[in-house]
PDB file of all heavy atoms in Angstrom:
ATOM      1  N   ALA D1037      35.427 225.236  21.697  1.00 85.00           N
ATOM      2  CA  ALA D1037      35.338 224.882  23.120  1.00 85.00           C
ATOM      3  C   ALA D1037      35.877 226.032  23.987  1.00 85.00           C
ATOM      4  O   ALA D1037      35.262 226.344  25.012  1.00 85.00           O
ATOM      5  CB  ALA D1037      36.150 223.612  23.378  1.00 85.00           C
ATOM      6  N   ASP D1038      36.942 226.677  23.536  1.00 89.00           N
ATOM      7  CA  ASP D1038      37.496 227.790  24.281  1.00 89.00           C
ATOM      8  C   ASP D1038      36.505 228.974  24.338  1.00 89.00           C
ATOM      9  O   ASP D1038      36.351 229.625  25.364  1.00 89.00           O
ATOM     10  CB  ASP D1038      38.803 228.258  23.716  1.00 89.00           C
ATOM     11  CG  ASP D1038      39.949 227.294  24.038  1.00 89.00           C
ATOM     12  OD1 ASP D1038      39.787 226.448  24.945  1.00 89.00           O
ATOM     13  OD2 ASP D1038      40.975 227.401  23.321  1.00 89.00           O
ATOM     14  N   ALA D1039      35.843 229.219  23.214  1.00 92.00           N
ATOM     15  CA  ALA D1039      34.886 230.330  23.170  1.00 92.00           C
ATOM     16  C   ALA D1039      33.720 230.094  24.162  1.00 92.00           C
ATOM     17  O   ALA D1039      33.267 231.037  24.806  1.00 92.00           O
ATOM     18  CB  ALA D1039      34.352 230.547  21.751  1.00 92.00           C
ATOM     19  N   LEU D1040      33.304 228.847  24.230  1.00 93.00           N
ATOM     20  CA  LEU D1040      32.238 228.520  25.195  1.00 93.00           C
ATOM     21  C   LEU D1040      32.721 228.670  26.629  1.00 93.00           C
ATOM     22  O   LEU D1040      31.974 229.165  27.493  1.00 93.00           O
ATOM     23  CB  LEU D1040      31.730 227.117  24.954  1.00 93.00           C
ATOM     24  CG  LEU D1040      30.896 226.945  23.666  1.00 93.00           C
ATOM     25  CD1 LEU D1040      30.752 225.461  23.318  1.00 93.00           C
ATOM     26  CD2 LEU D1040      29.576 227.633  23.764  1.00 93.00           C
ATOM     27  N   ARG D1041      33.956 228.288  26.915  1.00 92.00           N
ATOM     28  CA  ARG D1041      34.478 228.468  28.276  1.00 92.00           C
ATOM     29  C   ARG D1041      34.598 229.967  28.632  1.00 92.00           C
ATOM     30  O   ARG D1041      34.308 230.348  29.740  1.00 92.00           O
ATOM     31  CB  ARG D1041      35.817 227.778  28.431  1.00 92.00           C
ATOM     32  CG  ARG D1041      35.681 226.287  28.581  1.00 92.00           C
ATOM     33  CD  ARG D1041      36.981 225.621  29.038  1.00 92.00           C
ATOM     34  NE  ARG D1041      37.948 225.367  27.983  1.00 92.00           N
ATOM     35  CZ  ARG D1041      37.910 224.372  27.141  1.00 92.00           C
ATOM     36  NH1 ARG D1041      36.953 223.511  27.223  1.00 92.00           N
ATOM     37  NH2 ARG D1041      38.849 224.197  26.208  1.00 92.00           N
ATOM     38  N   VAL D1042      34.992 230.760  27.665  1.00 94.00           N
ATOM     39  CA  VAL D1042      35.081 232.221  27.882  1.00 94.00           C
ATOM     40  C   VAL D1042      33.675 232.778  28.144  1.00 94.00           C
ATOM     41  O   VAL D1042      33.517 233.609  29.044  1.00 94.00           O
ATOM     42  CB  VAL D1042      35.782 232.897  26.704  1.00 94.00           C
ATOM     43  CG1 VAL D1042      35.643 234.434  26.772  1.00 94.00           C
ATOM     44  CG2 VAL D1042      37.243 232.536  26.624  1.00 94.00           C
ATOM     45  N   LEU D1043      32.731 232.367  27.361  1.00 95.00           N
ATOM     46  CA  LEU D1043      31.354 232.857  27.578  1.00 95.00           C
ATOM     47  C   LEU D1043      30.875 232.464  28.998  1.00 95.00           C
ATOM     48  O   LEU D1043      30.261 233.286  29.701  1.00 95.00           O
ATOM     49  CB  LEU D1043      30.444 232.250  26.496  1.00 95.00           C
ATOM     50  CG  LEU D1043      28.933 232.533  26.637  1.00 95.00           C
ATOM     51  CD1 LEU D1043      28.663 234.051  26.654  1.00 95.00           C
ATOM     52  CD2 LEU D1043      28.166 231.895  25.516  1.00 95.00           C
ATOM     53  N   ARG D1044      31.135 231.248  29.402  1.00 94.00           N
ATOM     54  CA  ARG D1044      30.719 230.815  30.705  1.00 94.00           C
ATOM     55  C   ARG D1044      31.388 231.677  31.819  1.00 94.00           C
ATOM     56  O   ARG D1044      30.712 232.089  32.765  1.00 94.00           O
ATOM     57  CB  ARG D1044      31.128 229.347  30.915  1.00 94.00           C
ATOM     58  CG  ARG D1044      30.686 228.757  32.223  1.00 94.00           C
ATOM     59  CD  ARG D1044      31.055 227.293  32.276  1.00 94.00           C
ATOM     60  NE  ARG D1044      30.506 226.690  33.502  1.00 94.00           N
ATOM     61  CZ  ARG D1044      31.163 225.788  34.188  1.00 94.00           C
ATOM     62  NH1 ARG D1044      32.312 225.307  33.799  1.00 94.00           N
ATOM     63  NH2 ARG D1044      30.605 225.294  35.299  1.00 94.00           N
ATOM     64  N   ARG D1045      32.647 231.960  31.669  1.00 93.00           N
ATOM     65  CA  ARG D1045      33.352 232.822  32.657  1.00 93.00           C
ATOM     66  C   ARG D1045      32.778 234.219  32.663  1.00 93.00           C
ATOM     67  O   ARG D1045      32.673 234.841  33.727  1.00 93.00           O
ATOM     68  CB  ARG D1045      34.826 232.870  32.393  1.00 93.00           C
ATOM     69  CG  ARG D1045      35.556 231.611  32.870  1.00 93.00           C
ATOM     70  CD  ARG D1045      37.074 231.767  32.871  1.00 93.00           C
ATOM     71  NE  ARG D1045      37.640 232.036  31.562  1.00 93.00           N
ATOM     72  CZ  ARG D1045      38.073 231.121  30.737  1.00 93.00           C
ATOM     73  NH1 ARG D1045      38.027 229.843  31.093  1.00 93.00           N
ATOM     74  NH2 ARG D1045      38.574 231.449  29.585  1.00 93.00           N
ATOM     75  N   ARG D1046      32.402 234.743  31.474  1.00 94.00           N
ATOM     76  CA  ARG D1046      31.855 236.112  31.415  1.00 94.00           C
ATOM     77  C   ARG D1046      30.525 236.191  32.126  1.00 94.00           C
ATOM     78  O   ARG D1046      30.231 237.174  32.804  1.00 94.00           O
ATOM     79  CB  ARG D1046      31.676 236.530  29.935  1.00 94.00           C
ATOM     80  CG  ARG D1046      33.001 236.794  29.250  1.00 94.00           C
ATOM     81  CD  ARG D1046      32.816 237.337  27.889  1.00 94.00           C
ATOM     82  NE  ARG D1046      32.294 238.706  28.034  1.00 94.00           N
ATOM     83  CZ  ARG D1046      31.682 239.377  27.058  1.00 94.00           C
ATOM     84  NH1 ARG D1046      31.504 238.794  25.903  1.00 94.00           N
ATOM     85  NH2 ARG D1046      31.232 240.584  27.260  1.00 94.00           N
ATOM     86  N   VAL D1047      29.684 235.176  32.011  1.00 95.00           N
ATOM     87  CA  VAL D1047      28.423 235.153  32.675  1.00 95.00           C
ATOM     88  C   VAL D1047      28.646 235.073  34.208  1.00 95.00           C
ATOM     89  O   VAL D1047      28.096 235.827  34.989  1.00 95.00           O
ATOM     90  CB  VAL D1047      27.513 233.985  32.211  1.00 95.00           C
ATOM     91  CG1 VAL D1047      26.321 233.820  33.094  1.00 95.00           C
ATOM     92  CG2 VAL D1047      27.111 234.201  30.754  1.00 95.00           C
ATOM     93  N   ARG D1048      29.490 234.139  34.616  1.00 93.00           N
ATOM     94  CA  ARG D1048      29.744 233.952  36.049  1.00 93.00           C
ATOM     95  C   ARG D1048      30.348 235.230  36.693  1.00 93.00           C
ATOM     96  O   ARG D1048      30.031 235.577  37.824  1.00 93.00           O
ATOM     97  CB  ARG D1048      30.709 232.813  36.302  1.00 93.00           C
ATOM     98  CG  ARG D1048      30.098 231.491  36.243  1.00 93.00           C
ATOM     99  CD  ARG D1048      31.135 230.451  36.617  1.00 93.00           C
ATOM    100  NE  ARG D1048      30.497 229.155  36.852  1.00 93.00           N
ATOM    101  CZ  ARG D1048      31.069 228.177  37.503  1.00 93.00           C
ATOM    102  NH1 ARG D1048      32.305 228.305  37.950  1.00 93.00           N
ATOM    103  NH2 ARG D1048      30.447 227.040  37.672  1.00 93.00           N
ATOM    104  N   ALA D1049      31.230 235.900  35.971  1.00 93.00           N
ATOM    105  CA  ALA D1049      31.890 237.091  36.491  1.00 93.00           C
ATOM    106  C   ALA D1049      30.924 238.194  36.834  1.00 93.00           C
ATOM    107  O   ALA D1049      31.175 239.057  37.683  1.00 93.00           O
ATOM    108  CB  ALA D1049      32.973 237.569  35.546  1.00 93.00           C
TER     109      ALA D1049
END
Side-chain angles (χ1 to χ4, degrees):
D1038 286 344
L1040 289 166
R1041 283 193 279 281
V1042 168
L1043 175 58
R1044 184 178 186 216
R1045 282 193 298 268
R1046 289 187 68 199
V1047 169
R1048 280 185 169 197

